[in-house]
Amino acid sequence: MDKQTCINQSEENLLHTYNRFPLVLDHGKGVYLYDTDGKKYLDFAAGIAVMAIGYDHEEYKEALKSQIDKLLHISNLYYSEPLERAAARLVKTSRMDRVFFTNSGTEAIEGAVKAAKKYAYTRDGHAGHEIIAMKHSFHGRSIGALSVTGNEKYQAPFAPLMPGVKFAGYNDLESVKALVTEKTCAVIMETVQGEGGIYPAEPEFLKGIRDLCDRNDILLILDEIQCGMGRTGKMFAWMNYDVKPDIVTMAKALGGGVPVGAFAMTEKVAGKSLAPGDHGTTYGGNPFVGAAVDKMLEIMERDNLPAHAAKTGAYLYESLEKLVEKYDFLTAHRGIGLIQGVECELPVGQVAAKALEEGLVLITAGTNVLRFVPPLIIETEHVDEMTEKLEKTFARLQ
Ligand SMILES: *Cc1c(COP(=O)(O)O)cnc(C)c1O
């Protein structure tokens, strides 16, 4: 099938929920992707912060292949060793006590929200609790996750959504305090806002929220679906702050490319929360994804990828600072580790499209931010290659 046929047929057969770039990707190796014409691309998007260990990782592939030969799926009515290994690793590395595996990020949010509601229900003996979420947040596309996503455009067509959600300003502690009532059961937020434009939580904000939650027995749910799994230089972004959530959500990089998410919680929450009959999933945490998560975490810990992300992230930060100094249309720069964003006055969609012609895969966030979320295995020379390609892209657009 030639490239244009693939594009045309896809546009006929797929529901048009994405404006795709005219790129037909064929395979990947390390931090590079190759299209069906054999053209090579440096990947600074990682399939939206998913491919942390890059493409074609031998050891990871072998783990998946050997699990395929044994058992793919059994349902959650039985035990499997791959899932137990994944759970043990995840509980340890997340400093949580119990984990539930899902098939996606949005499902991890659904589970976290249900866990918080059930906790308050058990404590108070009745339902009717409220959740405080953040403006400009992103938590997913299913109705519950959409209900806590602070984006009018995403929400509007689907009203009425889940009731009892109030939105505060991110990094605005007073606006959160103003929304607390005796009905509040949880605050949900991203430790680093991703889709909203790469906004890390300010330390005082996150500490203030933790304190507010402690004083009112409100659960703190940190959504680490994008910023977690080593990307900020620690296994979870909240580990850069002196706070610990009650519930944490994960997905994206968790399975190294296999669709898997999870929500994990402390024993304090688990003891009063979801019990048999309250929650479930047919696929979630099957032996295949168990093997993927187990191997992903093993590689990440053994190869010290969070520390590597901190190091290359610092280099990326310096490099992007230089670009912001050099180009007037780059107006701000934020981020931590290998999740960074640069505000750009050129149309960012066009920058991303032109970058492809230069052999660079880049994505955007919000309406005016260039987003940098490469595989965690990049080296400083890849950062140099990226900035060179980006500058060439800018030259074409000016
Ligand atoms: C991507 C993302 C989600 C949703 O994950 P899906 O797997 O697309 O459902 C939720 N929260 C954050 C912070 C995300 O970046």
Side-chain angles (χ1 to χ4, degrees), residues 104-106 138-140 190 223 225-226 252:
S104 64
T106 204
F138 182 83
H139 298 292
E190 294 152 271
D223 180 351
I225 289 169
Q226 186 159 167
K252 291 200 162 82

Side-chain angles (χ1 to χ4, degrees), residues 123-142:
R123 180 194 58 202
D124 298 346
H126 61 78
H129 294 90
E130 294 174 349
I131 293 172
I132 299 175
M134 300 295 148
K135 293 175 186 165
H136 307 296
S137 59
F138 182 83
H139 298 292
R141 303 292 196 155
S142 53

Side-chain angles (χ1 to χ4, degrees), residues 80-92:
S80 81
E81 287 179 9
L83 186 65
E84 168 42 27
R85 283 196 296 271
R89 280 192 196 279
L90 200 52
V91 159
K92 186 155 179 266

Side-chain angles (χ1 to χ4, degrees), residues 260-280:
V260 55
F263 61 100
M265 62 188 77
T266 62
E267 196 62 48
K268 177 195 139 187
V269 181
K272 288 186 188 166
S273 187
L274 304 173
D278 283 333
H279 200 57

